[in-house]
């Protein structure tokens, strides 16, 4: 499967715990985006990363949320001290390097986070 | 005013019907337009991508963009039960350095056999 991979698919955390969501982009893609989908809501942009760089984090809450995309390994979205309002589906998308049709983003299956 | 407005439906049609899904937007900076299909508890799947006003056809799907009216549409011909899903419109501004997509809320479509 050469698509965008996300794991875990389902994650249950108690309030105050940390959640780590992982995303492996499609082969050859170097741009990664994270979106959050709340119940009955559309997808909301959170952060856009390239390898080792955060390009745009304008959609990311200032507190408790962080993201990285290291030189090696998957992109990580980290949520510290989770609260019930963090319960949502988190989707990762990837697109090719600049100059190779970056207009389209391909989405992974999502991680569904439930905070008890 | 939200940047992208999309009627959430739900929309229910009989098999074989022509379906029309629409979005309006307020910011003329949007230049690239997409339609995604999302099955229940799955990730969005890219259906159509356009960047100019006019029509683009792919099989049973036609995407239409009217930049002067800030209005985009997706038409599905000969709809099938397998088309039952939520359809999300998305758009992007042509700004350097930021590739984020802005989505509508999605329209839930059910095609009844």
């Amino acid at each position: 499967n050469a698509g965008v991979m996300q794991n875990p698919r389902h994650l249950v955390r108690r309030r105050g715990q940390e959640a780590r969501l992982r995303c492996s982009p499609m082969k050859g893609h170097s741009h990664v985006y994270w979106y959050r989908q709340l119940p009955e809501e559309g997808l909301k942009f959170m952060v856009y990363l390239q390898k080792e760089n955060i390009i745009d984090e304008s959609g990311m809450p200032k507190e408790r949320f962080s993201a990285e995309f290291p030189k090696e390994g998957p992109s990580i979205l980290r949520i510290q001290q989770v609260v019930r309002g963090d319960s949502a589906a988190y989707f990762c998308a990837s697109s090719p390097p600049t100059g190779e049709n970056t207009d389209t983003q391909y989405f992974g299956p999502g991680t569904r986070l439930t905070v008890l | 005013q939200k940047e992208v407005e999309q009627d959430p439906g739900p929309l229910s049609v009989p098999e074989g019907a022509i379906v029309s899904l629409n979005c309006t937007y307020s910011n003329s900076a949007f230049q690239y337009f997409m339609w995604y299909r999302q099955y229940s508890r799955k990730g969005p799947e890219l259906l159509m991508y356009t960047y100019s006003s006019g029509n683009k056809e792919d099989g049973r799907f036609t995407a239409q963009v009217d930049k002067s009216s800030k209005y985009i549409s997706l038409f599905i011909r000969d709809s099938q039960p397998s088309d039952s899903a939520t359809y999300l419109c998305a758009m992007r501004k042509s700004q350097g350095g930021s590739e984020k997509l802005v989505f509508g809320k999605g329209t839930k479509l059910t095609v009844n056999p």
Side-chain angles (χ1 to χ4, degrees), chain A residues 56-111:
Chain A
D56 181 355
E57 56 182 348
S58 60
M60 195 116 89
K62 296 288 187 287
E63 306 288 331
R64 305 187 295 108
F65 285 72
S66 62
E68 63 176 7
F69 188 17
K71 187 176 180 181
E72 301 291 337
S75 175
I76 306 286
L77 178 67
R78 182 182 178 203
I79 311 172
Q80 295 178 290
Q81 300 176 324
V82 295
V83 301
R84 288 215 174 108
D86 296 332
S87 296
Y90 292 82
F91 290 96
C92 170
S94 71
S95 68
T98 302
E100 295 185 23
N101 189 21
T102 58
D103 295 333
T104 53
Q105 296 179 16
Y106 298 89
F107 283 79
T111 293

Side-chain angles (χ1 to χ4, degrees), chain A residues 35 37 55-56 103 105 112, chain B residues 36 49 92 97-99 101:
Chain A
Y35 294 82
Q37 187 174 40
I55 306 302
D56 181 355
D103 295 333
Q105 296 179 16
R112 278 158 183 83
Chain B
Y36 285 83
Y49 160 68
R92 184 173 73 85
S98 176
E99 308 287 339
L101 296 178

Side-chain angles (χ1 to χ4, degrees), chain A:
Chain A
N1 187 346
V4 178
M5 306 292 287
Q6 288 188 251
N7 65 81
R9 296 292 307 278
H10 301 276
L11 182 61
V12 179
R13 286 287 179 266
R14 296 191 181 278
R15 281 180 296 169
Q17 292 184 320
E18 178 180 287
R20 284 193 177 220
L21 289 63
R22 287 176 290 278
C23 169
S24 296
M26 287 179 69
K27 188 175 182 180
H29 287 191
S30 57
H31 298 199
V32 166
Y33 318 79
W34 286 93
Y35 294 82
R36 177 165 63 176
Q37 187 174 40
L38 293 165
E40 308 304 322
E41 294 287 328
L43 282 87
K44 303 290 186 188
F45 169 80
M46 298 181 74
V47 62
Y48 161 43
L49 309 102
Q50 297 178 16
K51 284 285 187 181
E52 300 185 280
N53 285 303
I54 296 175
I55 306 302
D56 181 355
E57 56 182 348
S58 60
M60 195 116 89
K62 296 288 187 287
E63 306 288 331
R64 305 187 295 108
F65 285 72
S66 62
E68 63 176 7
F69 188 17
K71 187 176 180 181
E72 301 291 337
S75 175
I76 306 286
L77 178 67
R78 182 182 178 203
I79 311 172
Q80 295 178 290
Q81 300 176 324
V82 295
V83 301
R84 288 215 174 108
D86 296 332
S87 296
Y90 292 82
F91 290 96
C92 170
S94 71
S95 68
T98 302
E100 295 185 23
N101 189 21
T102 58
D103 295 333
T104 53
Q105 296 179 16
Y106 298 89
F107 283 79
T111 293
R112 278 158 183 83
L113 172 65
T114 301
V115 179
L116 301 177

